[in-house]
Each structure stands twice: as C-alpha cells, then as structure tokens.
Amino acid sequence: MYTHVIFDLDGTLLNTIDDLADAGNHVCESHGWPTHSVDRYKVMVGNGIPTLVARFVPEGLSAEELGRVTAEFSAWYDLHKQDKTAPYEGMADAVDALRAHGVRVAVLTNKADALAGAVVEHYYPGVFELVQGALPGVPVKPDPTLLRAMLDKLGADREKTLFVGDSNVDIATGKNGGLATCGVLWGFRSRQELTEAGADCIAETPEQFASLVLGKG
C-alpha cells in the first residue's frame, strides 16, 4: 500500500474547467478576440496560467502584451474561481478513505500558488497536508523540481508514493520524479492520452481509485 498520494488539482480533485473557460473568454471578449469552447479549454489547460493564456490569445502578441493579458486573466479568475467549480462526485469520499487508512495526501498543481491553497482549502478544508502551486521563476510540471521539494518536506519514500492526475503532464511529472503514476478518467483528458503517457494504472471512478491505492482493486 502507498504511504503518500500526491494529487493534481484541476481535472483530478476539482472540476474547474467552466471557471477557467469563463475567465479566458472574458479576457478574449474584452479585447475583441475570438472565444473558445469549454472542450477546447480542456486541452489548453494543464501547463500553468501563462501557457494557458498564450494558447487562448491570438498569435503574435509580444511578451509585454502577454504579461498584461496574463495579469488580467489572473485577476478575473481569482474573483470568479468558485462560481462553477466543484469537487468531482465521490472524490472527497475517496480521499477520506485514504486518510482513514493512514495514507498522507498532498496536492501539486500548476495553478499559481497564491490561488491554489485557497481553492483547495475551500473545497477540502483541513484535508491535505501540503498544497504546492506554481512559483515565479520555478519550472512547472512536468519538471520535477517542486515535486522533489514536496517529497523532501513530506519525508516521503518515492517507492511508496503515488502521483495522480488526469493528463499526460501529470504522468510525466510523476515519472520525472521517480514515482508510480495513476491516470484518472473523470477529468479533462482521454484514456488514450494517459495510456500513451505510460500511466502505471488508470482509474475510471474515484471509488476504483481508492481501491487501487488501498490494494483492494
């Protein structure tokens, strides 16, 4: 059984896509740019806010313009990040089941660190031992820098730690950090993407995920 489980946030613990899409489209509309569907945002998210912004704006913006738009997006999203966001059905129970069996849980996300902690605490109060978001000047997932620092803080044995997420970014992050990985199908990406990324296991539901972690599945 694993002693530690580290979760991705968006698409794994929380369905945040509508609020992210609304924030992106608000910025696009304010500049007179084309907007995008929610399904399109599902393949644009995952690599941090600056990359998301670069993907939804028109090509050709300067670095200075991208910086201003990123600030606009972040400010709007911060105000509206809980309008439509919600935990995936069954996910809170799955995490509680892990904790009841002594598994320590944490979150590593490419969402800005200033936003990540508040969002997690709002929907999962007092649940996660450590929440780490993206920091200025530090590479984001799938780079393993923040993951390795988190493992050190937790005192976690890599061979007994599982990284969980819904995208190829998450599977690559776990692998880059020397961890086993689990892909989840209730998030933003497909089974094919997770399989091609090399996920060690794939869970179709939070209940199945908890059983896999606890050695019952």
Side-chain angles (χ1 to χ4, degrees):
M1 189 178 80
Y2 294 103
T3 61
H4 295 76
V5 175
I6 300 176
F7 293 86
D8 168 53
L9 180 56
D10 300 76
T12 302
L13 292 169
L14 295 176
N15 186 355
T16 57
I17 197 65
D18 287 321
D19 285 335
L20 289 166
D22 286 351
N25 284 338
H26 168 78
V27 171
C28 289
E29 289 171 352
S30 70
H31 288 270
W33 299 330
T35 58
H36 308 278
S37 68
V38 171
D39 283 343
R40 179 60 185 153
Y41 277 99
K42 287 181 179 179
V43 298
M44 290 194 286
V45 300
N47 295 90
I49 288 175
T51 300
L52 170 60
V53 171
R55 288 171 175 167
F56 71 64
V57 301
E59 295 182 2
L61 269 64
S62 68
E64 183 179 351
E65 289 171 321
L66 281 172
R68 287 199 298 268
V69 174
T70 300
E72 292 173 20
F73 172 89
S74 297
W76 181 267
Y77 179 66
D78 190 24
L79 291 173
H80 297 275
K81 61 183 180 294
Q82 295 167 1
D83 288 359
K84 301 175 181 177
T85 288
Y88 287 99
E89 184 176 356
M91 201 61 212
D93 290 340
V95 175
D96 285 345
L98 267 57
R99 297 176 71 224
H101 284 79
V103 179
R104 296 166 63 188
V105 293
V107 178
L108 177 61
T109 174
N110 279 343
K111 190 184 294 293
D113 192 62
L115 299 174
V119 170
V120 172
E121 186 61 22
H122 178 80
Y123 293 102
Y124 292 88
V127 171
F128 291 95
E129 184 171 341
L130 183 61
V131 177
Q132 180 64 66
L135 297 172
V138 181
V140 297
K141 298 184 302 182
D143 185 281
T145 298
L146 288 174
L147 174 59
R148 289 170 177 162
M150 174 174 277
L151 292 169
D152 289 342
K153 289 179 183 178
L154 293 170
D157 182 341
R158 283 162 173 76
E159 294 184 356
K160 295 182 179 180
T161 302
L162 181 69
F163 197 91
V164 183
D166 69 307
S167 75
N168 55 3
V169 172
D170 300 309
I171 303 307
T173 302
K175 289 183 174 296
N176 290 341
L179 307 184
T181 59
C182 180
V184 302
L185 296 183
W186 54 83
F188 305 154
R189 305 293 179 83
S190 67
R191 179 187 291 273
Q192 180 179 348
E193 176 174 309
L194 296 168
T195 300
E196 291 177 352
D200 294 295
C201 62
I202 294 178
E204 295 184 358
T205 65
E207 294 79 9
Q208 183 187 29
F209 163 72
S211 293
L212 287 168
V213 174
L214 298 173
K216 300 176 183 179

